[in-house]
Amino acid sequence: MADFRTALVRIIPFLLLQYVSKSEGFITNRPLIVTAILGKPYVMEHYDMTGRMGNDRYKGFSVDLLEKIAVLANFTYEIRLVPDNQYGVKIDKNGSGNWTWTGMIGEVIRNKADLTMGDIAVTRAREQVVDFTYPFMTSGLTILARRSTTEAKSIRSVADLAGQTEIKYGVVAGGSTYQFFKSHKFDPFRRMYEFMMNNSDDCFVRSYEEGVHRVHESNGRYMLIAESNLVDYAVSQNCNLTSIGREFTSTGFAIAVKTGSDLREKISRAILSLKEDHVLSELREKWWEGGQNSCRMSEGWTDSGVQVKLSMESLIGAALLLAWQFRRTSK
């Protein structure tokens, strides 16, 4: 009887936890494992890591977004960086026909993570192996270039870039932009993919940060094709960079979960709620146009995004206008 009572005392708290969790709508009793990839401004490490532990080590748009989603969907989580630093592509290991997925998508498929975090694009291939939530952001593709050389090289669009061979251009190898060019059957994108493959060492980069660095240091001899959101952020941070041409194609960024997981519906509802309450736009403004926007602030941009160039003539004109208004009101 004593053993029975002891066992009962031990199991009652567990049963109560199960009941409370279900009644309050908890998704799970354990922290969800979130696989993430470092990339500005979505997921970044704090410069000062002193005393920081767990999720507190990270900051960024996606970090803030996940925190708000977790409150609405009622779950806790643990952020873990993906070991291979990839978003997720399907590869054939050793050419043996043993196809597998890399990166964050692979982590979800193999049950090493419950969901993804960061700027992972929704693609047809990925949708065949995971479920995606409602997109929290959309983006097109555009060209990142060094500002001082774009006029001299007469590059105004992706068609101009495809029609020449002097300037090298490229994408992040294995990413969604790479897959876009690889799968495209029509020019100029098919021709551009062939050009990049024939000049792979000069065109492809391992990460977006590497691509931005190459653009900046190449003195106009290299341009990066990437998601417009990433290009906008790079331009806002570096006054020597600019974007070229209109956006082409469009894709959504969402959170990937296991196929059939109820997380998809719960997180999608949370994202829709944040969108309707304008929280998504506020987070966008915070990380793209807020205090991080050192280039615009240094060049005289106002908080509303309007650039103000103060010259001696404009200052004199303003002074004369104020003097004229003062004379009128003093009469």
Side-chain angles (χ1 to χ4, degrees), residues 302-316:
T302 66
D303 291 339
S304 61
V306 179
Q307 190 175 20
V308 179
K309 294 183 178 179
L310 294 178
S311 63
M312 183 60 68
E313 291 81 1
S314 61
L315 288 173
I316 293 174

Side-chain angles (χ1 to χ4, degrees), residues 151-288:
E151 290 79 7
K153 301 297 183 179
S154 298
I155 302 296
R156 298 287 186 271
S157 66
V158 65
D160 292 340
L161 194 61
Q164 57 81 54
T165 57
E166 178 183 356
I167 301 174
K168 297 296 190 296
Y169 52 86
V171 300
V172 176
S176 59
T177 305
Y178 171 89
Q179 296 297 330
F180 167 80
F181 281 95
K182 180 180 179 181
S183 62
H184 219 288
K185 304 300 182 183
F186 303 100
D187 286 336
F189 305 119
R190 180 185 60 83
R191 187 170 71 251
M192 295 176 75
Y193 176 73
E194 293 174 353
F195 175 83
M196 289 186 283
M197 289 298 296
N198 292 333
N199 300 273
S200 57
D201 292 341
D202 297 325
C203 292
F204 295 125
V205 292
R206 291 169 295 181
S207 67
Y208 170 71
E209 286 75 16
E210 179 185 333
V212 173
H213 179 76
R214 184 179 294 189
V215 170
H216 185 265
E217 299 298 322
S218 67
N219 197 27
R221 295 188 298 272
Y222 180 81
M223 297 182 181
L224 180 71
I225 303 172
E227 286 85 1
S228 58
N229 291 329
L230 295 175
V231 171
D232 289 345
Y233 182 79
V235 171
S236 75
Q237 299 298 297
N238 192 321
C239 305
N240 295 318
L241 301 178
T242 187
S243 60
I244 296 178
R246 297 180 178 179
E247 295 181 15
F248 57 98
T249 192
S250 180
T251 188
F253 294 101
I255 295 173
V257 299
K258 187 81 172 178
T259 300
S261 172
D262 62 348
L263 286 172
R264 178 185 185 181
E265 181 180 353
K266 295 177 184 295
I267 295 177
S268 292
R269 286 203 304 263
I271 293 174
L272 280 169
S273 177
L274 294 172
K275 179 181 179 181
E276 292 173 356
D277 293 339
H278 308 291
V279 176
L280 294 183
S281 58
E282 291 173 1
L283 290 179
R284 164 80 188 205
E285 183 177 356
K286 172 184 176 181
W287 289 103
W288 269 262

